[in-house]
Amino acid sequence: MVDFPPRRKPSRKGSMADVPKDLLEQIKELERLFTVDQAKLIEVTDHFVKELEKGLSVEGGSIPMNPTWVMGYPDGYETGTFLALDMGGTNLRVCEIILPEEKGEFEIIQSKYRMPEELKTGDSEELWEYIADCLQQFIEYHHEVEDLEQMDSKLPLGFTFSFPATQDFIDHGVLQRWTKGFDISGVEGKDVAPLLEAALQKRKLPVKLSALINDTTGTLIASHYTDDTMQIGCIFGTGCNAAYMENCGSVPKIAHYNLPPDMPIAINCEYGAFDNELVVLPRTPFDVIIDNDSPRPGQQAFEKMIAGLYLGELFRLVLVDLHDNKCGLFEGQDISRLRKAYSLDASFLSFIEEDPFENLSETGELFANELSLKASKPELELCRRLAELIGTRAARLSACGVAAICKKKNIESCHVGADGSVFNKYPHFKARGAQALREILGWPKGKRDPIDIRAAEDGSGVGAALIAALTIKRVKAGNLAGIRNTEGMI
């Protein structure tokens, strides 16, 4: 998760009147590099549709298009008490969600635990031990039980594991690859469910893992629970992803299960990997550097151009290049702080874009305080324009994934539930994405947008609980497709 400062007043419009010619030329070159026009948006979207289809095929493609074994939406009348465990990039969150009898309602109690940095590159057993410890603390505190073994029944757990995982069953998930800065050895290629279950069993916790989900799938389900016009769930944060409901008959790679062709199944796209082959994405030399210097070059090509984890680094790389090779930006100053990789995050750009003052005084203070750099007014104008270009490109390319799902499913009107720090907090991200959707899908001007991306419900908490509830409901009904271990579920 990228931490953003509180939102401020709407930003002012910049003026280039006092920018010297050499800096203006650099700004024009940056505009050429980072601007994605309507034709390119349409080209990217059309290729995206083909890649979504390929991901559903037996042969597969760059986009995993993982079946989640979430077979349909909630009806709003699910009831019970559930635990949700949310393992994201920055925090571990434990929730208890109560679904009452009132349609579409829920109550939530939650606690957050910081994910120690050393765990992210540590050893597998330490990770699961830490997670089990946090769960134990939560249950003991909120249930006030001295002996956990004395609890009447096991609490169903929905585990939000927000990393690419292949699922043959809803209560199982093989990690395909770590993302979001994690690189723990001995987990990739393994089923993470037994690893968590072993840690829970060791502590004799009264918990039954009912469903392992991705935060994006949870976002889809939780959003639809409160608004039944939601047909796509998206995450635009540290990473990027989308989930939607497909028909089993349109997923050739699960044809051998012989499921009814019109039965719905949620697909977790994991489309951060879109166009790893670099057919259509408009990469700049700076995108190439980010990819080459990343832990996994050649993977997550789309994500590296739009996700919060990379926006600040793109900005930093451009400034270093302008200092070293182009126009002597920050000439004569020590830019050693700026040379540190990933020293700037998306909140740095957000702050610049929200500077309300004509003289960009807040941006100047930011550079002085964070980087020990004294920037002239023209240099600040260039930095402001660069932040706008990077933020705008991210929002416009983000719209291509949503548009591609709508085109593939022939969705002409729906709500899209979006979550993530970039969507929620980066200035103008929503408006820029909406404008790109208009350009891609060719909507007439002056009418309300038929596809509206809006804030989602809590996918990784409420969504996980709902999916656990849906799984138990299916077990009771005898619909066991994609459920491995039903023992203890009912």
Side-chain angles (χ1 to χ4, degrees), residues 222-235:
S223 298
H224 192 276
Y225 181 67
T226 57
D227 173 2
D228 60 14
T229 64
M230 292 278 188
Q231 292 192 48
I232 301 170
C234 294
I235 303 288

Side-chain angles (χ1 to χ4, degrees), residues 358-380:
E358 193 66 34
N359 64 357
L360 293 172
S361 58
E362 290 192 354
T363 305
E365 288 170 15
L366 181 70
F367 274 86
N369 295 336
E370 299 292 325
L371 300 168
S372 300
L373 292 172
K374 184 168 174 47
S376 67
K377 173 74 174 3
E379 287 174 336
L380 292 173

Side-chain angles (χ1 to χ4, degrees), residues 8 41 93 133 136 223 314 406:
R8 292 172 292 158
L41 287 174
R93 185 167 61 117
D133 183 54
Q136 182 172 344
S223 298
L314 264 175
C406 291

